[in-house]
Structure formats: structure tokens, C-alpha cells
Amino acid sequence: MFRNGRGGRAVALVLLTLFTLGPAAGCVRGEGDVLNISGSSTVLPVVTAAAEAYQEINPGLKVGVQGGGSSAGIEAAITGASQIGTSSRDLKGNETEQGLYDTVIAIDAIAIIINPANKVSRLSKKQVKDIFTGKTTNWKEVGGQDLPIVLINRDEASGTREAFYRKALDESAFSKDAVVQPGSGQVRSIVGSTPAAIGYMSLGYVTKDVKVIEYDGAVPNKTTLKKGTYKLQRQLHFFTKGKPTGDAKAFTDFMLSDYVQSTIVSVEFMPVTAIGQK
């Protein structure tokens, strides 16, 4: 997924971190120290890469990183099953009353994707909303070929689905005719192989197998995210039970370091340091 070589990056990271992070690099640990992180599949790749680098400079610490979805990550942070719960959505409902502390680690765009053979190149917010709620069912209604639209949706554990539901659908119900998939990889695979399909995913997961279209006058990229003109953007989170302490704090600080933000996070997302939300 990552376009930069991890090996070279990790070596450079070690050298640079020795100069910039001082105390973390020199930390003395005992056997069996573990930091558990779980949650969002969107956040998983960058956290995994950061954890690999972090363990190189903290060899006594095992950083266990797992997916499971944003809801599972938030629940793990609440119960203490994980010291850090990752999420691609904000807290909702009674989650806001559980004493979780929010650290934003990146800004992401939700891209609308279609098959590369589809000639449609842009859709308004209303058109997207009508498609995903089932009011528009054929591509010819939005300037495309006379083909029934094949909707691809994410399952209810997905933070991406939750964010899309709120921002693109204004909390209107998804069409029940959509094909529901558990992960971004499955969505990309189906859209890439089905001429009439449409789906959505984190911009970080987009490959040449699918086509990203303009949404409501803007394409998703780092420029439109920074300007705020691309409306389907969201924050990616670390949630901890109260302010992070110990290993959770050290790893959170590492995630927000200029080096990790510029060499790992920026490959897929907009660093929070770039727009002043750190």
C-alpha cells in the first residue's frame, strides 16, 4: 500500500529519532511490555508502519496493532482491552460520556469511486445522495450510460460508512439494495471489476484499479483538504481512557512527531501538523 520503501525509511527514522526523540530512544524496558492498539481499518496501515519503526528504537516494547473497525476500537479503549483505540469517525451516542480523550492524528478524505470504464467524472452532493439512498438507479440519470447502478456499501462497523452517512447522506437511510462489504479492499475490488459499480473509501486506499470522481465541485487531494473545499473529509483519531500516559503517551507523541507525520502519515493522509489541528 505504501509507495515509499519501508526499509530505507525505517533506517532513516532510527537515525533521526535518536536526535529528535531522545528519551524514547534510550528507554530501558523489561521483557513482556506490550502496548495494544486496535480499531479502524483505515488507520491500520499507518499505525502498523509507525509501530514497526517505534519498536526499532524501543526493542523491549511489543506494539500489538489490530483492526476490527472504529466501533471496536472505541469499545476497546473504553473497556481497557486496548490502551489506544483508533477510529475514522467521531464519538457518538453514549461513547461521548465514557471519559475518552481524543488525539487527532491525521485528516482523511472519503473518495467516491467508480469503475475506470465509466465516463462519468463528477457528481453533485445531491446526485450522490440520491444514488446511495436509492432514488437514482441508472447511470443515464446522471450523464452516464444506460446501466443499472450497482451500489457497494460498507458494513455497520465501519467508521467510513458512519462518516459518509453523516456527511454525504445527511443521515438519510442507505438503499437496501446495496452490496455490503466488510473492508476497503473488497469495495475497491468489486468497483474495479464491475462497470456499473460505485462505492466510497478512504483516499489512502485508492489505486489505479478504480476511478475517483469530483464530488460537489472538488476532487479529493491534499490541496482541497487543506483549503477545506472538499467536503467529504474527516479526522482520524487515537482514543484513550483519559489523557494518554506511559507507553500510550509516548507512542502518541511519536505518531505526532514531525518525522512520522511527514514520512508515514503524509503518504496516505493529510498530516494534522500541516493544518494546525495537532
Side-chain angles (χ1 to χ4, degrees):
M1 174 178 177
F2 288 93
R3 292 181 283 275
N4 291 341
R6 289 189 183 183
R9 183 176 63 207
V11 171
L13 178 62
V14 170
L15 294 176
L16 184 60
T17 303
L18 288 173
F19 292 102
T20 59
L21 299 182
C27 185
V28 177
R29 297 184 172 280
E31 293 293 331
D33 288 344
V34 178
L35 173 65
N36 289 317
I37 304 171
S38 62
S40 167
S41 60
T42 297
V43 179
L44 182 63
V46 293
V47 174
T48 299
E52 291 172 357
Y54 190 73
Q55 288 175 116
E56 291 191 43
I57 55 174
N58 293 278
L61 177 69
K62 175 177 173 54
V63 182
V65 184
Q66 296 182 335
S70 296
S71 295
I74 292 169
E75 180 65 19
I78 292 172
T79 62
S82 294
Q83 292 99 315
I84 297 174
T86 62
S87 177
S88 61
R89 65 165 173 83
D90 299 334
L91 298 178
K92 61 182 182 178
N94 63 7
E95 292 171 346
T96 61
E97 303 167 356
Q98 303 301 317
L100 294 180
Y101 186 85
D102 180 11
T103 302
V104 178
I105 58 137
I107 308 300
D108 183 29
I110 301 175
I112 309 294
I113 58 169
I114 61 176
N115 187 275
N118 192 328
K119 301 302 182 185
V120 172
S121 60
R122 60 180 62 86
L123 292 170
S124 67
K125 176 175 180 176
K126 183 179 186 305
Q127 288 173 320
V128 169
K129 183 177 179 179
D130 286 348
I131 287 173
F132 279 90
T133 56
K135 293 180 181 178
T136 297
T137 58
N138 192 298
W139 281 109
K140 68 179 181 181
E141 299 176 65
V142 291
Q145 292 180 280
D146 184 8
L147 284 173
I149 294 173
V150 178
L151 285 177
I152 311 298
N153 200 2
R154 290 292 307 278
D155 62 27
E156 294 186 357
S158 166
T160 304
R161 172 182 167 132
E162 174 69 20
F164 189 80
Y165 166 70
R166 288 189 293 103
K167 293 177 179 292
L169 272 61
D170 298 323
E171 302 188 4
S172 296
F174 281 105
S175 168
K176 295 181 179 178
D177 295 329
V179 177
V180 176
Q181 293 296 310
S184 298
Q186 292 92 336
V187 172
R188 185 178 58 213
S189 177
I190 294 176
V191 173
S193 61
T194 308
I198 184 171
Y200 58 88
M201 60 168 44
S202 165
L203 184 61
Y205 276 84
V206 169
T207 68
K208 62 182 180 181
D209 300 315
V210 296
K211 174 181 170 182
V212 175
I213 61 171
E214 180 181 296
Y215 172 77
D216 220 28
V219 293
N221 57 43
K222 291 177 180 176
T223 299
T224 56
L225 285 179
K226 190 171 184 177
K227 290 181 177 178
T229 52
Y230 188 73
K231 300 304 181 184
L232 292 182
Q233 61 175 279
R234 56 175 173 176
Q235 297 176 329
L236 303 181
H237 308 268
F238 274 8
F239 287 115
T240 51
K241 192 74 171 178
K243 284 188 175 181
T245 59
D247 288 328
K249 182 180 187 308
F251 186 78
T252 300
D253 290 345
F254 181 73
M255 198 74 196
L256 295 174
S257 68
D258 290 340
Y259 189 83
V260 172
Q261 288 282 304
S262 63
T263 62
I264 295 178
V265 172
S266 67
V267 175
E268 310 298 343
F269 306 115
M270 171 68 76
V272 290
T273 51
I275 55 176
Q277 291 193 20
K278 181 177 178 180

